[in-house]
Amino acid sequence: MYDTNTSPHPHYYLHGEDILLDIPDADLLLVNVPEPLPDHEVSCVDLIIHLSRKRS
């Protein structure tokens, strides 16, 4: 999989279909990011929500 959008943004990953979809920024609010370890800083936060089709 390759994403042409290189800016930080969240994704849905569809299991079994090998598809990666962008999640619109308006749909997501990240409220609590844990403090980094001592002598470290957060350089990036990646978010991938893995989805599977419901079994009928």
Side-chain angles (χ1 to χ4, degrees):
M1 287 174 284
Y2 180 76
D3 190 352
T4 58
N5 181 350
T6 58
S7 68
H9 62 284
H11 293 100
Y12 287 124
Y13 175 72
L14 306 182
H15 279 279
E17 300 176 46
D18 203 29
I19 296 173
L20 193 66
L21 300 171
D22 291 347
I23 298 173
D25 291 336
D27 291 346
L28 178 68
L29 178 61
L30 187 58
V31 177
N32 294 315
V33 177
E35 290 294 319
L37 297 173
D39 298 322
H40 291 79
E41 64 183 11
V42 175
S43 59
C44 181
V45 175
D46 294 320
L47 176 65
I48 300 174
I49 298 174
H50 295 252
L51 301 177
S52 296
R53 294 216 181 254
K54 289 183 178 180
R55 297 179 186 188
S56 32

